Amino acid sequence: MKILSLNEFEFSRRGQALVGQEMFKVLERARELEREGKEILHLELGNPRLRPPDVIIEETVRILQERDVGYTFSAGVPALRRAIAKHYSQKNDVSLSLEDVVISPANFIINQFLDIVCNRDDRVVFFTPAFPTYWAGASYIGLDVVSVELDKNIQYRLTKKNVDDAIAAKPKAILVNSANNPTGAVYDEEVLLYLAQQCENEKIWLLSDETYGEVVYEKDFFSLMTIKAPHVVVMSSFSKMFSIPGYRIGFAICDPIMVEKLSLSISTQISCLPAFTQYGCEKGLAEIDEYSKSVRRRFQIRTELCARLLESCKVLSCEVPDSGFYVFVDISKTGLKDVDFCQRLLEEKLTAVTPGSSFGPQYTDYIRIAACLDQEHIKQGVDRIKELAESLTSI
Amino acid sequence: MKILSLNEFEFSRRGQALVGQEMFKVLERARELEREGKEILHLELGNPRLRPPDVIIEETVRILQERDVGYTFSAGVPALRRAIAKHYSQKNDVSLSLEDVVISPANFIINQFLDIVCNRDDRVVFFTPAFPTYWAGASYIGLDVVSVELDKNIQYRLTKKNVDDAIAAKPKAILVNSANNPTGAVYDEEVLLYLAQQCENEKIWLLSDETYGEVVYEKDFFSLMTIKAPHVVVMSSFSKMFSIPGYRIGFAICDPIMVEKLSLSISTQISCLPAFTQYGCEKGLAEIDEYSKSVRRRFQIRTELCARLLESCKVLSCEVPDSGFYVFVDISKTGLKDVDFCQRLLEEKLTAVTPGSSFGPQYTDYIRIAACLDQEHIKQGVDRIKELAESLTSI
């Protein structure tokens, strides 16, 4: 058999759209440097690195030791669906039951939501800067993304004007993300309700990504679960909530018809998720309030430290976030674009951060710092970022 | 906010294509009956229910106890990729390395393979009867499936004539599954090589699903890994190999360019799989030969028992399989179609089996029995199937 080269075989349009992202190229290069023996400061991934609640690990281990390693329900194990419904019913003063909840990796919910409601070339709106997975999913499916830019001067909070602009674009779906990655902004109840209402009026699907909802420091967090409208899909993840991103367990709360669509999508593509990780998360829910309190406290200290240290640097600027793990930094005065800045930071200062353009093609004047290391290492990392930034402008 | 009904919002074509399958309706009804307190004999799912190798569980637990629950590589943990490459290099006398291997749930590989190489309306060929996930994936993506029927009179083995028919349909991709689910047929090396060669000549992608490759009883099993051609993607799963379907870990062996596409697809849609389950599988590989031997022996006894018991029934007929967990049974003489037969078997005899049409719309004269219970229960289940079949024709 003669061996042809692969480029004589055609990929689909989706297959062609799968190309490496800049964010991962940084990570890839960081790993290369590590293999060469260099020590890299990782300020790029939102990997919380806290000790997860012990009950989660213990329960997962217990189920594994019972050898419960068979197939389970595509929609998720009923005990976990019920526990999520109960927790959020109480928290948001709404009546949820098992039928309103589906278990899935959060990234997969984003992608499947887009695939289930949008055809190729359909339009979607992201409020930007926006989480890279939205861009990756839209690019893979072949969607027409309209970016509605949030105003930095009001700390990237969503406004009614932003909502009107989004609706005016006549999209099939809108993605909204409060508490926000990368800006840390938390949106007002009034504006979120206005968004949901306008979407309903115009028959637009709405995905509310509330992954960081449990990591809002001091402000009130408003969840769109509260309104229980059939066109609104609310999603979140245990990855950040319980510091277990490796579990790959998240969930959506939505109309039972959409729960069924998402379950069928899981059944078609993955069959189901492991039962043992789901039972672990179920046990964790009993401790969520206490655990989140410590996560919030820790990340508030870290992101504020990060922002305060950056303040003293004349060529960098950022907002103090209201939530989450991240600080979004304006590097425009350094004269370097994001990818070049990140590359030089990695090569010269052995520090990895995420290029701003991962959050939208127009954000080449920004980088995102993930404050997931301890204070000492964050301080060291920010010092290196400042050193590079200042060296660039002193020439 | 007035609440609109969900049917005023439009799903995409993919979203609309997500409808419940007959197979799952049987399962759903079986669960309902169980909630009513009835005891159901489960002969529908390929859930091996054997004790998995202890080292797999122990290693998974060890990694969990070390709290290694962060993100890991999209392509899979390098140690597992390397162990798979090593195992199959030795087994198939071929030179594989880490770069030729990507870790993913096996179902996800099937779906992502189809999505990466086919656009909507593109043609694919399945040799039928064929595994339900192929049909579900093709229906979700919107593919034109051409079914090339295998000949029951030669125990559903693949022939050069079948290959010629497949190629003549001018598809974008062909899926081939030896050892086969549901027929248990194992295809000849010569025909498989002919298929790979014809695909190369006509620039057709080929997915070789070798999930049951380690469960071939006595015949020689030929793997398409051996030829290492860029248009051939070979996949398998630890679910059946190690009796751990709940782990959701499988793998593909293919050209590094396809490995990268599949990794990017995982990175886009799921980020990564848990590290702890992957490390467990890595430890399992050291015991795979010994463990598979016992799996093979056990399932050969069970499927032969099943076939032998059916032989004595004049209105049912089946082939004795050469591999796997299943027996594919002709029920045409009962006068009932598959779905009706399965429903009555469930309601009247409390026994669940899979309707033949799950393996292709034309197989309404068949049911599939999964011989995953112990011999006593298989005997009981087959007795009930025979009772129903004979009662139908004695009227």
Side-chain angles (χ1 to χ4, degrees):
Chain A
M1 184 174 241
K2 70 179 154 51
I3 298 296
L4 290 180
S5 130
L6 197 64
N7 54 29
E8 298 188 58
F9 292 81
E10 233 179 72
F11 288 101
S12 66
R13 284 176 298 186
R14 288 190 181 218
Q16 287 165 32
L18 287 172
V19 288
Q21 291 174 54
E22 284 304 335
M23 188 170 73
F24 292 109
K25 287 184 194 157
V26 170
L27 203 58
E28 208 51 56
R29 179 65 187 138
R31 280 169 185 153
E32 256 176 55
L33 289 168
E34 283 171 336
R35 277 194 293 272
E36 291 169 15
K38 305 246 167 70
E39 206 171 308
I40 304 294
L41 270 182
H42 286 282
L43 300 175
E44 78 288 34
L45 265 187
N47 201 351
R49 292 167 193 261
L50 302 180
R51 187 180 173 92
D54 284 336
V55 286
I56 295 183
I57 308 294
E58 285 160 10
E59 182 66 5
T60 307
V61 166
R62 194 181 71 77
I63 302 284
L64 275 164
Q65 281 168 342
E66 283 181 357
R67 303 294 187 272
D68 184 354
V69 291
Y71 289 109
T72 184
F73 300 86
S74 298
V77 302
L80 177 59
R81 294 170 72 196
R82 212 172 286 123
I84 291 170
K86 188 176 161 208
H87 174 75
Y88 286 102
S89 292
Q90 287 168 352
K91 192 177 177 85
N92 294 322
D93 193 21
V94 61
S95 163
L96 298 169
S97 71
L98 171 148
E99 286 77 18
D100 305 309
V101 182
V102 55
I103 312 299
S104 165
N107 271 21
F108 197 67
I109 296 171
I110 296 167
N111 277 278
Q112 292 319 111
F113 168 84
L114 288 173
D115 224 0
I116 286 171
V117 310
C118 296
N119 291 312
R120 171 169 284 275
D121 297 324
D122 275 355
R123 178 167 294 170
V124 288
V125 168
F126 302 163
F127 299 109
T128 61
F131 181 44
T133 292
Y134 307 164
W135 296 98
S139 151
Y140 182 58
I141 298 171
L143 302 179
D144 171 26
V145 179
V146 170
S147 164
V148 170
E149 289 185 35
L150 299 169
D151 186 351
K152 181 179 157 181
N153 298 313
I154 52 165
Q155 287 84 46
Y156 300 102
R157 285 201 299 274
L158 186 71
T159 65
K160 287 191 177 179
K161 171 71 170 63
N162 296 144
V163 172
D164 292 337
D165 290 347
I167 301 289
K170 297 192 177 300
K172 190 77 189 290
I174 296 177
L175 270 59
V176 65
N177 173 214
S178 170
N180 190 267
N181 170 8
T183 69
V186 177
Y187 304 160
D188 293 338
E189 172 173 346
E190 194 195 339
V191 180
L192 287 167
L193 285 175
Y194 180 71
L195 170 63
Q197 180 66 70
Q198 293 306 103
C199 284
E200 184 171 61
N201 294 348
E202 303 301 323
K203 306 221 164 55
I204 296 165
W205 291 98
L206 180 61
L207 180 69
S208 180
D209 175 356
E210 304 184 358
T211 297
Y212 294 91
E214 305 274 353
V215 199
V216 175
Y217 311 144
E218 284 167 9
K219 286 187 85 168
D220 283 333
F221 172 69
F222 177 72
S223 168
L224 279 169
M225 275 174 215
T226 322
I227 63 169
K228 260 195 110 178
H231 65 298
V232 180
V233 176
V234 176
M235 51 157 284
S236 189
S237 164
F238 291 123
S239 299
K240 316 292 171 170
M241 222 181 276
F242 288 140
S243 314
I244 48 168
Y247 265 50
R248 309 310 306 134
I249 305 283
F251 57 90
I253 294 184
C254 49
D255 189 277
I257 295 176
M258 184 55 107
V259 165
E260 204 201 344
K261 289 287 183 191
L262 288 166
S263 311
L264 285 168
S265 168
I266 292 162
S267 140
T268 301
Q269 306 213 43
I270 327 185
S271 296
C272 62
L273 300 176
F276 44 88
T277 45
Q278 296 184 63
Y279 285 119
C281 293
E282 185 218 339
K283 285 282 178 260
L285 274 172
E287 300 191 1
I288 190 171
D289 292 327
E290 197 187 344
Y291 186 78
S292 315
K293 205 185 292 174
S294 87
V295 171
R296 279 194 292 274
R297 196 173 45 235
R298 202 172 299 223
F299 279 99
Q300 181 171 20
I301 292 168
R302 291 178 180 184
T303 56
E304 282 181 0
L305 168 70
C306 199
R308 192 160 44 72
L309 292 168
L310 287 165
E311 225 171 56
S312 67
C313 177
K314 287 190 184 61
V315 289
L316 300 173
S317 70
C318 68
E319 305 305 317
V320 181
D322 285 322
S323 69
F325 306 172
Y326 311 107
V327 180
F328 200 54
V329 185
D330 182 339
I331 59 164
S332 57
K333 288 190 188 151
T334 67
L336 272 194
K337 291 298 172 189
D338 64 334
V339 173
D340 293 334
F341 187 92
C342 291
Q343 277 170 357
R344 288 193 53 179
L345 186 67
L346 186 57
E347 302 292 338
E348 295 170 24
K349 306 283 180 186
L350 303 176
T351 302
V353 297
T354 307
S357 51
S358 300
F359 304 89
Q362 66 272 57
Y363 294 94
T364 52
D365 282 337
Y366 295 83
I367 59 169
R368 186 194 72 176
I369 299 174
C372 294
L373 300 178
D374 59 38
Q375 295 185 50
E376 193 46 52
H377 285 99
I378 289 174
K379 197 173 163 315
Q380 201 180 339
V382 175
D383 281 347
R384 293 180 185 178
I385 294 167
K386 283 161 68 176
E387 273 170 35
L388 175 65
E390 283 162 3
S391 75
L392 290 168
T393 45
S394 64
I395 301 162
Chain B
M1 185 173 236
K2 70 181 156 49
I3 298 297
L4 290 179
S5 128
L6 198 64
N7 54 30
E8 298 188 57
F9 291 82
E10 230 179 75
F11 288 101
S12 66
R13 284 178 297 189
R14 287 190 182 217
Q16 287 165 33
L18 287 172
V19 288
Q21 291 174 54
E22 283 304 336
M23 189 171 71
F24 292 109
K25 287 183 195 157
V26 171
L27 203 58
E28 206 53 52
R29 178 65 187 139
R31 280 172 186 149
E32 256 176 53
L33 290 168
E34 283 171 334
R35 277 193 294 269
E36 292 168 15
K38 306 246 166 70
E39 206 170 309
I40 305 294
L41 270 181
H42 286 282
L43 299 174
E44 79 287 32
L45 266 188
N47 200 353
R49 292 167 192 259
L50 302 180
R51 187 181 173 89
D54 285 336
V55 285
I56 295 183
I57 308 293
E58 285 160 10
E59 181 67 3
T60 307
V61 166
R62 195 182 71 76
I63 302 283
L64 274 164
Q65 281 168 343
E66 284 181 356
R67 303 293 188 272
D68 185 353
V69 290
Y71 290 109
T72 183
F73 300 86
S74 298
V77 301
L80 178 58
R81 296 170 70 196
R82 212 172 285 122
I84 291 170
K86 189 177 161 207
H87 174 76
Y88 286 102
S89 291
Q90 286 168 353
K91 190 174 180 88
N92 294 322
D93 193 20
V94 60
S95 163
L96 298 170
S97 70
L98 170 149
E99 286 78 19
D100 304 309
V101 182
V102 56
I103 311 299
S104 165
N107 271 22
F108 197 68
I109 296 171
I110 295 167
N111 277 278
Q112 291 319 111
F113 169 83
L114 288 173
D115 224 1
I116 286 170
V117 310
C118 295
N119 291 313
R120 170 169 284 276
D121 299 324
D122 274 355
R123 177 167 294 170
V124 289
V125 168
F126 303 162
F127 299 110
T128 61
F131 180 44
T133 292
Y134 308 164
W135 296 97
S139 152
Y140 182 58
I141 298 171
L143 302 179
D144 171 26
V145 179
V146 170
S147 164
V148 171
E149 288 185 36
L150 299 170
D151 187 351
K152 181 177 157 181
N153 297 314
I154 52 166
Q155 290 83 46
Y156 300 101
R157 283 201 301 274
L158 186 72
T159 65
K160 287 192 178 179
K161 170 71 170 62
N162 296 144
V163 172
D164 291 337
D165 289 347
I167 301 288
K170 298 194 177 298
K172 190 77 190 290
I174 295 176
L175 270 59
V176 66
N177 173 213
S178 170
N180 191 268
N181 171 8
T183 69
V186 177
Y187 304 160
D188 291 339
E189 171 171 347
E190 194 194 341
V191 180
L192 286 168
L193 286 175
Y194 179 70
L195 170 63
Q197 181 67 66
Q198 293 306 102
C199 284
E200 183 170 59
N201 294 348
E202 302 302 323
K203 306 220 166 55
I204 296 166
W205 291 99
L206 179 61
L207 180 70
S208 180
D209 174 356
E210 304 184 358
T211 296
Y212 295 90
E214 304 275 354
V215 199
V216 175
Y217 312 143
E218 284 169 10
K219 287 187 82 166
D220 283 332
F221 172 69
F222 176 73
S223 168
L224 279 169
M225 275 176 216
T226 322
I227 63 169
K228 257 195 113 176
H231 65 299
V232 180
V233 175
V234 176
M235 50 157 284
S236 188
S237 164
F238 291 124
S239 299
K240 316 291 170 172
M241 222 181 274
F242 289 140
S243 315
I244 48 168
Y247 266 50
R248 309 311 306 135
I249 304 282
F251 56 91
I253 294 184
C254 49
D255 189 276
I257 294 176
M258 185 54 108
V259 166
E260 204 202 345
K261 290 285 183 193
L262 287 167
S263 311
L264 284 169
S265 169
I266 292 162
S267 141
T268 300
Q269 306 214 42
I270 328 185
S271 298
C272 62
L273 300 176
F276 43 89
T277 45
Q278 297 183 63
Y279 285 118
C281 294
E282 184 218 341
K283 285 285 178 257
L285 275 171
E287 301 192 0
I288 189 170
D289 291 328
E290 197 188 343
Y291 187 78
S292 316
K293 206 184 290 172
S294 88
V295 172
R296 279 194 292 273
R297 195 172 47 232
R298 200 172 301 222
F299 280 99
Q300 181 171 21
I301 292 169
R302 291 179 181 185
T303 56
E304 282 180 2
L305 169 69
C306 200
R308 193 162 43 73
L309 291 169
L310 287 165
E311 226 170 56
S312 67
C313 176
K314 287 188 184 64
V315 288
L316 299 173
S317 70
C318 68
E319 305 305 318
V320 180
D322 285 322
S323 68
F325 306 172
Y326 311 107
V327 181
F328 200 54
V329 184
D330 183 339
I331 58 163
S332 57
K333 288 190 190 153
T334 67
L336 272 194
K337 291 298 170 188
D338 63 336
V339 172
D340 294 331
F341 187 91
C342 291
Q343 276 169 359
R344 289 193 53 178
L345 186 67
L346 186 57
E347 302 292 337
E348 296 169 24
K349 305 284 180 189
L350 302 176
T351 301
V353 298
T354 306
S357 51
S358 301
F359 303 91
Q362 66 273 57
Y363 294 95
T364 53
D365 282 337
Y366 296 83
I367 59 169
R368 187 194 71 176
I369 299 174
C372 294
L373 299 177
D374 58 38
Q375 294 186 51
E376 194 46 52
H377 285 98
I378 289 174
K379 198 174 162 314
Q380 201 180 339
V382 175
D383 281 346
R384 293 181 185 179
I385 293 167
K386 283 162 67 175
E387 274 169 33
L388 175 66
E390 284 161 4
S391 75
L392 290 168
T393 46
S394 63
I395 302 163

